[in-house]
Amino acid sequence: MLEQAHWVWIFFAYLEIIKIRVPGTQLNIRYTDMKTQERKPSFLPQRILRFYVDGFRAMTWGKTLWGILLLKLFILFVVLRLFFFPDILEKDFQTDRERSDHVLEQLTSP
């Protein structure tokens, strides 16, 4: 029975894609490719941006993973820098000239 229902769904999805409307049926099909094919050709960066935006909208687990990734980057670059990487040059030298001379000396001396 499940197999028969599966084939019926595939048949109606096919009809939906080729734009044949069957009264009383409406499927929740996400097909962004057909929408982008109907549009006029546009500027390349705009098409690239639309490609990524459409892909991000269709994500399920991807949004959660991107959130975890951004949180991890925030922790690495903001929190760890504040607590574990103090500004040594600002602490040891008073002016920008002294700092730049020290950096230049460290880079050029063997």
Side-chain angles (χ1 to χ4, degrees):
M1 186 67 178
L2 181 62
E3 243 181 40
Q4 183 181 7
H6 180 72
W7 284 108
V8 169
W9 188 88
I10 290 174
F11 175 72
F12 281 118
Y14 174 73
L15 293 177
E16 184 78 21
I17 289 171
I18 62 172
K19 302 280 187 186
I20 297 175
R21 303 286 183 223
V22 177
T25 62
Q26 183 177 5
L27 298 174
N28 293 326
I29 300 174
R30 290 188 217 170
Y31 49 93
T32 56
D33 295 336
M34 296 203 56
K35 291 179 184 175
T36 55
Q37 287 176 0
E38 293 173 0
R39 295 179 182 152
K40 294 178 182 176
S42 58
F43 193 52
L44 182 64
Q46 185 181 11
R47 286 186 292 170
I48 292 170
L49 179 67
R50 189 180 312 126
F51 172 76
Y52 282 104
V53 168
D54 288 345
F56 191 74
R57 278 190 198 130
M59 281 187 197
T60 54
W61 278 98
K63 290 180 185 178
T64 306
L65 295 175
W66 272 106
I68 292 170
L69 177 76
L70 292 175
L71 177 67
K72 188 176 183 179
L73 288 174
F74 176 78
I75 290 170
L76 283 173
F77 289 108
V78 176
V79 175
L80 291 179
R81 187 183 189 296
L82 289 175
F83 295 113
F84 296 109
F85 302 110
D87 194 359
I88 295 171
L89 289 175
E90 190 172 333
K91 185 175 70 172
D92 292 345
F93 302 100
Q94 299 298 321
T95 64
D96 286 339
R97 179 73 180 173
E98 291 174 353
R99 292 182 197 118
S100 65
D101 288 341
H102 175 72
V103 169
L104 182 64
E105 183 182 321
Q106 294 299 315
L107 289 175
T108 56
S109 65

